[in-house]
């Protein structure tokens, strides 16, 4: 004779992206069979724990292990939500000061864009979920994925679910959501190898430059991994375009 009761969950801001349409931005009743961890209750409706930064049960912030017994009101807030919640218990590390990423196999273009923006982003087209999770844990890398299932794994601590489907929009989304705009450093990292570029004299690479580049650019860098030569050309201009569009956009949420 289980004593069945319900707790009422309410999800805020972009956490609603994970809910079925009929459950968005309203109270969601969750059946509690004797007791259930608040983490389990949250994930039972499809919201990955990696997206959650703050849980408030009946006005008090709690951690994932908190047990629900029925009758509670639970407010669930997303990571990176710009609320002033300093006095309460945050479940996630502070926004990353030295952000590092590992992107899942479907996000190769985003990985290259992030490298072009200067961010250390590991990616390969043949890594399975276990390999990606292992790299995330080993190096405190934030997993970037469009696979919600991966972010629900208990062994994933840092992850971000990418909403956009087009790679430049994904770059803009990640920079804005993780508050990375000020850390962008284009022209510093190889988009293929993910290693730091080295300065190189124009004279050393001039034989390898296309005709029009020889006359137009003076600063060059070289990748010590693959020997590619970089200059502040079209990719750089595109990156600047993405960044200025971000700067002009109104922040999402609210
Ligand atoms: Zn390279």
């Amino acid at each position: 004779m289980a004593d069945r009761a319900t707790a009422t969950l309410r999800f805020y801001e972009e956490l609603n992206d994970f809910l079925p349409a009929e459950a968005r931005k309203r109270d969601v009743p969750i059946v509690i069979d004797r007791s259930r961890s608040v983490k389990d209750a949250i994930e039972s409706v499809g919201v990955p724990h990696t997206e959650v930064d703050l849980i408030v049960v009946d006005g008090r912030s709690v951690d994932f292990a908190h047990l629900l017994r029925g009758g509670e009101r639970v407010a669930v807030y997303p990571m990176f939500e710009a609320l002033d919640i300093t006095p309460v218990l945050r479940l996630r590390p502070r926004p990353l000061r030295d952000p590092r990423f590992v992107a899942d196999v479907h996000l190769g273009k985003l990985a290259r864009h992030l490298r072009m923006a200067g961010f250390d982003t590991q990616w390969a087209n043949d890594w399975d979920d276990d390999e990606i999770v292992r790299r995330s844990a080993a190096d405190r890398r934030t997993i970037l994925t469009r696979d919600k299932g991966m972010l629900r794994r208990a062994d994933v601590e840092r992850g971000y679910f990418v909403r956009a489907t087009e790679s430049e929009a994904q770059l803009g989304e990640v920079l804005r959501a993780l508050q990375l705009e000020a850390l962008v450093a284009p022209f510093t990292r190889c988009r293929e190898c993910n290693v730091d570029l080295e300065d190189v004299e124009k004279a050393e690479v001039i034989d390898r430059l296309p005709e029009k580049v020889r006359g137009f650019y003076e600063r060059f860098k070289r990748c010590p991994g693959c020997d590619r030569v970089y200059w502040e050309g079209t990719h750089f201009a595109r990156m600047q375009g993405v960044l200025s569009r971000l700067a002009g956009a109104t922040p999402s949420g609210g």
Side-chain angles (χ1 to χ4, degrees):
M1 287 277 293
D3 182 16
R4 289 166 72 88
T6 59
T8 304
L9 273 63
R10 180 89 182 223
F11 294 89
Y12 286 88
E13 304 298 340
E14 62 267 29
L15 292 181
N16 285 281
D17 296 352
F18 297 96
L19 300 177
E22 66 274 13
R24 288 181 191 153
K25 302 196 170 180
R26 63 188 56 187
D27 291 346
V28 182
I30 303 283
V31 172
I32 308 297
D33 198 349
R34 289 176 188 278
S35 71
R36 186 173 198 181
S37 77
V38 70
K39 179 182 177 187
D40 181 49
I42 288 168
E43 295 206 318
S44 74
V45 294
V47 176
H49 69 273
T50 53
E51 295 280 320
V52 174
D53 192 30
L54 174 68
I55 305 167
V56 177
V57 175
D58 293 334
R60 194 167 61 88
S61 58
V62 302
D63 66 17
F64 282 127
H66 180 85
L67 289 180
L68 300 176
R69 290 182 165 41
E72 298 93 340
R73 290 194 66 83
V74 182
V76 188
Y77 295 92
M79 249 181 130
F80 313 115
E81 174 61 16
L83 292 172
D84 182 11
I85 51 176
T86 320
V88 299
L89 176 63
R90 276 201 181 247
L91 298 170
R92 293 287 133 208
R94 293 264 116 204
L96 318 162
R97 289 280 68 88
D98 181 20
R100 289 183 293 266
F101 301 101
V102 52
D104 87 11
V105 292
H106 304 294
L107 297 177
K109 281 187 182 169
L110 172 61
R112 286 185 177 82
H113 287 332
L114 281 165
R115 292 167 182 168
M116 289 293 282
F119 297 104
D120 178 347
T121 307
Q122 293 186 342
W123 174 84
N125 63 7
D126 58 354
W127 288 346
D128 62 15
D129 287 4
D130 287 342
E131 176 67 14
I132 290 167
V133 171
R134 189 190 66 71
R135 286 171 178 272
S136 168
D139 242 2
R140 298 180 162 226
R141 289 175 184 275
T142 297
I143 295 173
L144 300 173
T145 182
R146 288 188 39 76
D147 174 3
K148 295 170 188 171
M150 177 142 63
L151 296 182
R152 282 197 284 269
R153 288 173 53 141
D155 53 354
V156 169
E157 186 182 348
R158 293 171 179 76
Y160 177 75
F161 173 71
V162 179
R163 275 78 166 170
T165 53
E166 188 276 322
S167 64
E168 257 179 42
Q170 289 174 338
L171 173 66
E173 177 191 331
V174 169
L175 295 180
R176 191 172 48 232
L178 308 194
Q179 300 167 19
L180 299 174
E181 291 98 325
L183 300 177
V184 170
F187 205 42
T188 58
R189 185 174 295 274
C190 180
R191 72 169 182 271
E192 301 301 327
C193 307
N194 193 38
V195 300
D196 290 333
L197 300 177
E198 297 172 347
D199 289 324
V200 62
E201 292 298 325
K202 187 175 183 178
E204 280 187 60
V205 295
I206 193 157
D207 292 344
R208 298 166 53 190
L209 301 177
E211 194 69 42
K212 59 182 183 195
V213 170
R214 284 183 202 175
F216 275 108
Y217 298 99
E218 295 304 320
R219 290 182 61 213
F220 296 89
K221 299 214 178 187
R222 179 170 55 196
C223 172
C226 67
D227 205 35
R228 272 184 180 77
V229 175
Y230 287 82
W231 55 89
E232 292 177 331
T234 49
H235 287 285
F236 188 78
R238 267 175 66 191
M239 185 67 56
Q240 301 290 42
V242 169
L243 293 174
S244 58
R245 282 197 294 281
L246 275 181
T250 23
S252 64

